[in-house]
Structures are given as C-alpha cells and as structure tokens.
Amino acid sequence: MAAALGSEAAVEIKDLKKSFDGKDYVLNGIDLEIPKGRITVIIGFSGTGKSVLLKHILGLLKPTSGEIRVLGREIGGMGVEELTRFRQQYGMLFQYAALFDDMSAVDNVVFPIREHRRDLTKEQMRGIAREKLKQSGLDEKHFDKLPAELSGGMRKRVGLARALALDPDLMIYDEPTTGLDPVLTEMVDNLIVSTHNLKQGTTSVVVSHDLYAAFRIGHYIAMLNNGKVLLAGTPQDFLDSEIELVRKFVAKGVHKA
Amino acid sequence: MKAMTYGELRGKVNHAIDGAAVFAWKRLEGVILATGEVMTFAIYSVRAFFARPRRFDELLNHMEFIGNKSVFIIALSGLFTGAALSYQIYLGFKLVNATSLVGPTVALGITRELGPVLTGLIVAARAGGAMAARLGTMRVSEQIDALEVMGVEPRQYLVSPRIVASVLTMPLLTGIFDFVAMFGSWLLCVQVLEMDEAAFFDRTQLWLQPSHINEGLFKAAVFGLFFSAVCTHRGFTTKGGAAGVGNSTNRGVVLSMVLIIVSDFFLTSLINFFYAVTDPTGGRG
C-alpha cells in the first residue's frame, strides 16, 4: 500500500486484533502500511478504534494478536526497557498537549532533552528548548509561563516543541484540532505541515475525525470502520472511491473544504 | 400461608450459606489479588530506583515534601500526644502510688507504638493523599502517557523516588515525634504536675533501651513503604477523570491508614518474636 507513494513503510501493521474483554474486538484485523517520510492521516467516526490503534503504534497497548513493525522493528514483543529506549524516536502531540503542569513551557521542552541528552550542559539544553519553542511559533514572552497560564493554542505549540525536542523520526498527533476554533485549527494544521517539512524523512501520523484537515495536510489517508481499515490510499483514491461510507464521509469533508 | 417443609427449609439455609461463602471468597480473592498487585508494583518500583538514570534530585524533592514539610504538624501532634498520654498514665498510676513510672511508661508507649503509628497516619493522610492525587491527575491528563512516549519509564521517574523517600523519611519524622512527645511528657510531669525531674529521667533511662527506639523506627520505615506503595499505586492506576482522582485519593488514604493500624499488631508480634529468639535473657523488657 505504502508503495503506492513510492516509499517504504515506516509502520507496518498486519492483522492486528485487540480485545479488552476477550469477546468484543475494538480492532478486528487491521492491515495497514504507513509510508515513510509522508503525512498519513488516520480518520474515522468516533469509537472506531483510532486512538486504540495509535496506542498500539506507541507500544502503550499490547495487541491481542497480530504484528506491528515500527521503523523496521517489531514492537509487540519488546520488553519495558527496550521499548522505553525505542520510544526516543517518537514525538507525540497529545490531544490536550499533556504538559507537565508544574513546569514552565521551556522546562517542559527541556525535560526530554535532559532525560536523553545527558552529554549537554544545562545552557545547551535550554538553548535547544528555546529554539524548538520558536520553531513552534510560541512568543518568547510566554516561555517561562506555566501551562495553566497559557491558552489552548499556546499549549499545543509547547506540546509540539516538546515532541520535536529530540528530532524524532516518527511524529504522532492525536486529534490535534479537537475542540479548537477554525482559526486555531488551521494554525495547527499549518504547524503540522511546517513541522513535517523541518526534517527530511520524518514520518507524521495524524489521528483525526476531520476529513477536511485530512485532505489539506495528508499525503496518505486511512479510514477505519468497525475495527478494520475501510480504505487506505491517497486523497485522490478517496475522491474516486465507490464505497458508500467513504463517499458519505468525503462528501462532508469536501463540502466543508 | 403454607408451612415450609423441612427439606425446603434446609435447601434455603444451604443456599444462603453457599451464597455467603461465595461472597466471602470473592471478597477475599479480590483482597489477595489487589495485595499481590500492589506488592508487585512496589517491588518493581523499589528495584527500578537502583536502575539508571539515577533519580536523586527527585528523591531529595520528595524527601523535602514528605519530611521537611511534615515536621511542624508532626512536632505539634507529638507534643500534645506526649502530654495527654502522660496525664492519663499519671492519673492511673497515682492510684497505685507508682507515679515515678510515668516517664518510662510514656517513653515505651511512644517509641514502640504511638510514635510510628501516629506519624504513619499523619504522613499517610498528608503526603500519601498528595501522592495519589498528583499521580491520578497526571494519569487522567495523559501526562504519564507523555512520559512513556518520551522514553521515560514513568514508574522509575514518578513512583520509585516517592516510595524510597517515604521509607527514608518516616523514621526521621518518627524520631522527631518521639523526641517532642517526650518533651511534652516532661513539660507536663515535671513543670505542671511537679514530679521529681531526676526520677523522671532516671527511670526513663533505666527502662528505655535503644532496641525499643529501633523497633519504632523500623516500624516507621515499613509504614512508609506501605502507605507510599498503596497511594502511588492508587494514583498510578486512576481511571475516569476528576471523579477517579478523588476516588483514588480517598481509597489510597483510607487503605493506608487501615494497613498501618493492622500491620502494627503483626509487626509488634514479629519484632518481639525476633528479640525473644536473638535475646533469650529478655533484657530488653
């Protein structure tokens, strides 16, 4: 599938199943390849298993069955320590930014650097953190504020700067525009694209239910329904699709666009 | 109304007994499973403390929060506990003309039992509650997930330093409680009730052995382990938003307090058994 975009897969998921109670399957045989160096948007109605799939890619959940290879490594069988080391290649922007509320904006960004780049001095760490905050578009006067003193948009910027702190190979965005007004939504979408273009080869995965955003920023789109991939392909593939549910979804997205 | 036959009555009684037995077993099974879960969590966390990267900065921060910020409330409680206990014992001993034994009795009671138990209860309520609430909030606001995604082992970063800090700090706080409680006892006995000061100190020195103080300090460390393991576990496994955080905090503190009081009895028995084996002459008193 990823070959359609002429690139190898950054994430390969084969027949992934997940059940929390042993009876109902939230993910019921997901087969998906996320192309390397592109922006992939995973879309679907609420409750279709998007966040559960994301947690599997991050290694936060273990699959009931199936295989997940991320950046060429099978993560389902990794132990805690191995997975902890491996996750240094991830960057993630959470839905509500998940900033550490007892740290200032700049300290939030310093945190992952301090954890993984112990060779750097404190000054160097703060220098990198300030640079990342600027890249994310946060005004310098807000650097020393606590998350509670920042607006929703500013918090997203700090969360993004923190996710970028270690120059990750795989950037993941969990519902980045949920609850934001249209202006902020567009700002976050633009931020995702500019962040993706910062480092060549970075793979970005955006989980969203906003098809408009998917068409605006996505090179590749995967739509989930009932725990399965209903359709995965380029935006054009979605426009050309004959699948009823896809057509309905697309009609709303294109209408909005 | 038709009278019940013997067989029907017997069947009903048997059914009720079966139901009660199944209910009791399910509850017991739940307690055993929960205990196992907390123990595994605590063992993993303590072991993780010695793994790299070292978390000494976090350890000191938590020791400061648990220890330093509890000193005033511990000292205040100790002062009045020592004074109140002395007064009660004085009233009792006065009846048998044994007021000279008030000092050592209070000293033994404070160092072996009340010091560690009351310190444990106070710190569990103050610091344990804060631990459960803090970790619970971090869980529901995805801050713990964020740590994991950043390649930071959250139990090693958040839980280990809290548990180790509690184990190290509790004996220090208990030492302060003991000291201030004895000061309260001296204040009441010598300054208010005008008992003989020399007799107060002589008798106390005669009866109070270092092993009594060690017993209390050891218990305090165990209580520190118990409340911190329970409260961090509750916080770490919080589900369900703000209500979940409140629930975790409440359950963590209540369970810690019950655990401290119940385990105190077993620890006392165990320690006395230990001394009975290692010191058969019974010089410890």
Side-chain angles (χ1 to χ4, degrees), chain A residues 37-79:
Chain A
R38 304 300 176 110
I39 299 177
T40 297
V41 185
I42 299 173
I43 55 169
F45 297 106
S46 298
T48 49
K50 299 189 297 288
S51 293
V52 176
L53 175 63
L54 196 69
K55 286 189 174 178
H56 279 86
I57 296 172
L58 292 164
L60 294 174
L61 288 176
K62 296 267 181 201
T64 305
S65 67
E67 226 179 89
I68 309 164
R69 292 182 76 80
V70 180
L71 303 171
R73 300 275 309 275
E74 162 65 40
I75 63 163
M78 281 186 188

Side-chain angles (χ1 to χ4, degrees), chain B residues 63-186:
Chain B
M63 283 182 78
E64 202 253 339
F65 174 71
I66 300 165
N68 210 15
K69 291 185 178 169
S70 301
V71 167
F72 178 71
I73 190 170
I74 290 292
L76 194 69
S77 309
L79 184 73
F80 286 98
T81 304
L85 186 67
S86 301
Y87 193 50
Q88 289 291 357
I89 291 173
Y90 168 80
L91 292 175
F93 280 17
K94 201 175 156 192
L95 298 173
V96 289
N97 237 355
T99 49
S100 64
L101 291 175
V102 171
T105 308
V106 171
L108 286 171
I110 290 287
T111 55
R112 294 169 76 171
E113 291 298 331
L114 285 181
V117 170
L118 288 181
T119 307
L121 294 177
I122 294 165
V123 181
R126 201 191 79 82
M131 285 177 197
R134 177 90 187 104
L135 296 188
T137 306
M138 289 187 78
R139 169 62 76 194
V140 299
S141 61
E142 294 185 310
Q143 291 176 52
I144 292 180
D145 288 342
L147 278 173
E148 280 195 69
V149 173
M150 274 186 255
V152 177
E153 217 297 275
R155 277 183 288 185
Q156 201 242 357
Y157 178 70
L158 295 172
V159 178
S160 302
R162 282 177 166 85
I163 292 183
V164 175
S166 302
V167 172
L168 294 178
T169 314
M170 272 295 292
L172 302 175
L173 289 172
T174 302
I176 292 171
F177 185 98
D178 292 352
F179 181 81
V180 179
M182 282 315 294
F183 174 71
S185 176
W186 170 82

Side-chain angles (χ1 to χ4, degrees), chain A residues 22-183:
Chain A
K23 288 181 279 184
D24 297 322
Y25 282 84
V26 182
L27 302 180
N28 196 10
I30 297 267
D31 284 297
L32 180 65
E33 287 184 10
I34 292 173
K36 203 171 189 173
R38 304 300 176 110
I39 299 177
T40 297
V41 185
I42 299 173
I43 55 169
F45 297 106
S46 298
T48 49
K50 299 189 297 288
S51 293
V52 176
L53 175 63
L54 196 69
K55 286 189 174 178
H56 279 86
I57 296 172
L58 292 164
L60 294 174
L61 288 176
K62 296 267 181 201
T64 305
S65 67
E67 226 179 89
I68 309 164
R69 292 182 76 80
V70 180
L71 303 171
R73 300 275 309 275
E74 162 65 40
I75 63 163
M78 281 186 188
V80 176
E81 283 177 21
E82 196 183 358
L83 199 55
T84 300
R85 276 196 303 275
F86 185 72
R87 286 198 187 114
Q88 291 171 31
Q89 297 174 82
Y90 290 111
M92 169 135 182
L93 176 62
F94 285 83
Q95 193 171 346
Y96 299 106
L99 299 178
F100 303 125
D101 44 24
D102 57 342
M103 293 183 195
S104 67
V106 73
D107 286 339
N108 261 283
V109 186
V110 164
F111 183 82
I113 307 171
R114 196 182 67 209
E115 285 296 314
H116 299 297
R117 296 290 312 276
R118 287 171 185 261
D119 54 313
L120 299 176
T121 63
K122 280 186 181 174
E123 281 315 304
Q124 286 172 316
M125 290 179 194
R126 288 186 81 80
I128 295 172
R130 296 176 81 85
E131 188 58 36
K132 298 291 178 193
L133 282 168
K134 278 183 200 162
Q135 276 176 13
S136 303
L138 188 75
D139 199 309
E140 210 159 333
K141 67 183 178 198
H142 302 303
F143 282 11
D144 293 317
K145 287 185 179 171
L146 290 171
E149 298 168 314
L150 299 172
S151 69
M154 288 177 197
R155 278 203 288 268
K156 293 262 182 194
R157 289 180 192 276
V158 179
L160 186 62
R162 188 178 67 179
L164 290 172
L166 296 173
D167 296 320
D169 296 317
L170 181 60
M171 268 299 297
I172 295 174
Y173 303 82
D174 183 14
E175 309 262 7
T177 55
T178 301
L180 298 183
D181 61 57
V183 177

